[in-house]
Amino acid sequence: MKANGSITTVYTFSAIAIFILLIACINFMNLSTARSIQRAREVGMRKVLGAFRQQLVGQFLGESILLGLLSMIIAVALVELLLPWFNGFMNLDIAFDYLSRPAVVLVLVALALLVGSIAGSYPAFYLSAFQPATVLRGELTRGRAGVNFRKALVVVQFAISIALLIATGVIFAQMNYAANKDLGFDRDHVVLMEGAPASGFGDNYDSLKQQLLQTAGVTSVTAANLLPGDQNTNSNGIRAEANEMRSMPFLNVDFDFFETFNISFLAGRSFSRERGTDMYNEPTEANPRATGSFILNKLAASQLGWTPDDAIGKWMEVGDDEQFEGSTRGPIIGVIDDIHFSSLHEAVIPVFYRALPYLNSLYETPEYRDAAVKVPNFRKMAIKINTSNVDQTLADIAETWKLNLPDVPMQMSFLDERFEALYQNEKLQGQLFTLFAALAIFIACLGLYGLASFTTEQRTKEIGIRKVMGGSVRDIVTLLSRDFGYLVLIANLLAWPLAWYLMEKWLESFAYRIDMSLFTFVLAGLLALLIAMLTVGGLAAKAAWSKPSLALRYE
């Protein structure tokens, strides 16, 4: 069984796919309407020969829908080629069976029809509206409304692309923050081992621990019911000095737990084997009032109304039911700083720690009265190693494990890798956002290149006259590039608030997060502007360097 995915991720990348399709549709609209003058006489002749506008609309829509269907065939082929790479990248096992699932084919065909209709709708109605008399007299001019509409489409294209660039920057900034944030404990060179689900480390945990401590390269060994990276959903009813009963999460730990993870104490001390009262004892029918000591984190002390120093020496009691008919009571001997036990998605929670023996005897139910049945209090082990010879140390640990627990499969991992895995989904999102942002920019620039080519072609004679009148190449490049630069700047004004809103929602899933930096927004905007200027500037420079005589002979 694998961990569930996130439906939010599915929605997010579905929206990105729609946006990229929208950019492609905008390109088609832009280029079709920009080059409409080349089909104006065709429209005029068809109308003179008796064609109705509905027929012309059907013709142009049919052309775009046919392009959509051909594109779908190419897209399916590309999907089949890229799917193995995508499955490996995302650790998935997706396969499309088109023959046994006709619904998939119907959805793909419907999508092609929809995209073709959307892309071809404006050009179809725009071209079919030409008046035959005006067209055939050669008096067709490009209306101001049509130019403004094309500019608006360019703005939308780049607004989407810039928003994706900003999202990519924010995701990587949050992942860098998560990777470098001080979690309150040492996660480097800590090896994690897990015992059997029911029997844990068997009956010889203490022997196993001593053997591991004698292994060269091992500096500390401890165990607990949960280790950093796990989600703590355990809780017990407690009451403490001058406090009402409440529920609070707990951890069962072995001695050396805090030392192994180098967790700092704000007040008091750690558990000690030399102090018999530090061991937590479970209440029984024979002894319903058991004793034990406790360690709190800073947040737990605060919720009980104490500073770390004030908490030391106060009593606390853990009950096995709401009436506390059986309970364990004892002093608070230490307060540690708050640690990020789980991922940064989750807020730090109040926790109390108790040191238990590895095995615990069950007497509480009738079937266990006559025989002490022992169950592990913890099944997870943490081994701190040094860096002198990691490979040999790991091999020695594995050998010790096999000698003591030959029937228990060895599950070994590193704590730092475990925490990296907590954000694997976000890292993959960041990489896919980078890919999709690059794709969106590329498609937007293709459309911009085509539109700029057409604009430059329309102004060929103007360019020749300006050069004859003494205009420099730089002046002409600036003239032709300026209008498109303004459009990208306007796109930034639309993209920034949209990206801020969407990424603010994404960051809300983290209890500990970055504040979005203005630098990320400015950098994305400048990058989009630079790419657009390079796209248009190359065409403008080529036109500016051409000979004026060629330009003046144009047409």
Side-chain angles (χ1 to χ4, degrees):
M1 295 181 68
K2 294 183 178 180
N4 291 335
S6 169
I7 190 62
T8 303
T9 303
V10 176
Y11 291 152
T12 299
F13 287 110
S14 298
I16 291 173
I18 292 171
F19 282 139
I20 290 176
L21 269 178
L22 179 61
I23 291 175
C25 291
I26 288 171
N27 278 350
F28 187 85
M29 292 181 191
N30 254 336
L31 298 178
S32 296
T33 52
R35 305 187 72 87
S36 58
I37 194 170
Q38 297 183 357
R39 301 197 67 175
R41 283 192 173 88
E42 175 193 345
V43 172
M45 287 300 298
R46 286 181 178 275
K47 283 195 171 183
V48 168
L49 294 173
F52 293 104
R53 186 180 182 186
Q54 293 87 339
Q55 293 174 312
L56 294 172
V57 170
Q59 176 197 342
F60 294 127
L61 277 177
E63 291 175 1
S64 62
I65 289 173
L66 180 60
L67 285 174
L69 291 170
L70 291 174
S71 300
M72 179 60 71
I73 295 172
I74 298 172
V76 169
L78 288 174
V79 165
E80 290 300 318
L81 286 173
L82 296 174
L83 196 56
W85 169 82
F86 182 78
N87 281 336
F89 180 74
M90 295 294 294
N91 192 26
L92 297 172
D93 188 22
I94 298 174
F96 290 105
D97 189 355
Y98 304 98
L99 297 178
S100 63
R101 300 184 65 185
V104 174
V105 178
L106 291 176
V107 169
L108 293 177
V109 172
L111 180 61
L113 294 174
L114 177 64
V115 171
S117 300
I118 293 174
S121 57
Y122 181 76
F125 288 103
Y126 177 78
L127 291 170
S128 63
F130 290 158
Q131 296 300 317
T134 304
V135 169
L136 296 177
R137 284 201 305 267
E139 297 177 359
L140 181 67
T141 58
R142 291 173 295 154
R144 187 85 189 155
V147 174
N148 289 337
F149 181 74
R150 289 194 293 275
K151 288 182 177 180
L153 293 178
V154 171
V155 169
V156 172
Q157 278 185 314
F158 275 90
I160 295 171
S161 302
I162 293 166
L164 287 174
L165 285 174
I166 293 171
T168 301
V170 172
I171 290 173
F172 278 108
Q174 177 65 21
M175 291 303 97
N176 183 64
Y177 171 78
N180 295 290
K181 181 173 175 57
D182 182 10
L183 301 179
F185 59 89
D186 185 4
R187 56 181 168 177
D188 294 329
H189 305 107
V190 177
V191 179
L192 306 180
M193 310 285 285
E194 191 161 340
S199 58
F201 306 110
D203 295 330
N204 58 346
Y205 166 72
D206 291 327
S207 174
L208 173 63
K209 179 175 179 178
Q210 291 307 313
Q211 291 178 49
L212 289 171
L213 286 171
Q214 293 170 13
T215 302
V218 174
T219 60
S220 182
V221 178
T222 192
N225 64 324
L226 296 172
L227 291 175
D230 292 327
Q231 190 173 26
N232 189 353
T233 57
N234 300 320
S235 65
N236 260 146
I238 69 157
R239 54 189 181 190
E241 191 170 313
N243 280 270
E244 296 180 351
M245 192 275 287
R246 68 179 67 201
S247 179
M248 183 176 288
F250 67 87
L251 255 71
N252 299 333
V253 300
D254 185 20
F255 294 94
D256 306 320
F257 179 87
F258 301 101
E259 291 76 12
T260 300
F261 292 104
N262 197 24
I263 298 173
S264 60
F265 276 77
L266 301 178
R269 60 176 178 83
S270 181
F271 295 119
S272 171
R273 289 185 182 276
E274 283 67 40
R275 297 174 183 256
T277 56
D278 281 3
M279 184 72 76
Y280 182 93
N281 297 289
E282 294 280 1
T284 64
E285 288 185 355
N287 182 24
R289 295 288 179 261
T291 60
S293 298
F294 302 95
I295 291 175
L296 307 180
N297 69 348
K298 181 181 177 182
L299 182 59
S302 175
Q303 288 193 0
L304 292 172
W306 304 321
T307 65
D309 289 323
D310 291 339
I312 304 303
K314 296 288 195 303
W315 64 263
M316 190 172 115
E317 187 176 14
V318 178
D320 60 2
D321 55 37
E322 294 182 1
Q323 287 72 38
F324 282 73
E325 293 180 356
S327 65
T328 301
R329 178 169 172 162
I332 297 168
I333 62 171
V335 178
I336 63 167
D337 202 357
D338 293 331
I339 65 173
H340 295 277
F341 197 81
S342 299
S343 77
L344 297 185
H345 286 285
E346 301 170 19
V348 171
I349 59 176
V351 178
F352 72 89
Y353 297 81
R354 53 193 185 187
L356 278 79
Y358 167 63
L359 291 176
N360 182 36
S361 298
L362 289 179
Y363 295 97
E364 299 303 321
T365 55
E367 59 266 30
Y368 296 141
R369 269 185 213 284
D370 299 329
V373 177
K374 296 183 177 181
V375 296
N377 281 315
F378 29 79
R379 299 174 176 83
K380 299 188 177 186
M381 181 186 296
I383 306 169
K384 180 75 172 179
I385 63 175
N386 58 39
T387 59
S388 58
N389 192 344
V390 174
D391 290 340
Q392 185 59 49
T393 301
L394 294 179
D396 292 341
I397 291 173
E399 184 64 26
T400 302
W401 180 275
K402 291 176 183 177
L403 289 174
N404 287 270
L405 299 166
D407 298 327
V408 180
M410 187 178 65
Q411 301 179 57
M412 180 186 291
S413 61
F414 279 97
L415 181 58
D416 55 352
E417 294 176 352
R418 185 177 191 179
F419 268 84
E420 286 180 11
L422 292 176
Y423 308 106
Q424 188 64 26
N425 186 43
E426 285 78 7
K427 287 182 179 179
L428 291 175
Q429 283 186 30
Q431 293 171 4
L432 285 177
F433 262 98
T434 303
L435 179 63
F436 289 142
L439 181 61
I441 284 283
F442 176 71
I443 296 174
C445 286
L446 282 180
L448 187 63
Y449 185 87
L451 192 59
S453 297
F454 179 76
T455 302
T456 303
E457 182 182 345
Q458 295 295 309
R459 301 179 71 173
T460 300
K461 188 173 291 186
E462 176 190 346
I463 292 170
I465 293 173
R466 286 182 179 275
K467 290 198 72 175
V468 169
M469 301 298 294
S472 66
V473 172
R474 186 179 66 179
D475 292 336
I476 294 173
V477 171
T478 302
L479 173 70
L480 296 176
S481 303
R482 184 173 54 200
D483 288 346
F484 293 102
Y486 288 151
L487 298 181
V488 178
L489 292 176
I490 296 172
N492 275 281
L493 298 179
L494 295 177
W496 286 16
L498 174 65
W500 181 88
Y501 174 79
L502 294 176
M503 296 318 295
E504 187 70 22
K505 290 294 183 183
W506 182 78
L507 288 170
E508 285 178 0
S509 66
F510 291 88
Y512 305 91
R513 42 158 287 186
I514 61 168
D515 292 322
M516 282 185 281
S517 169
L518 180 63
F519 175 77
T520 304
F521 290 73
V522 173
L523 182 62
L526 290 177
L527 182 60
L529 181 62
L530 175 63
I531 294 172
M533 289 300 94
L534 289 175
T535 302
V536 177
L539 280 170
K542 181 181 178 181
W545 279 105
S546 63
K547 294 180 180 180
S549 58
L550 296 176
L552 295 177
R553 285 205 308 268
Y554 185 71
E555 295 180 349

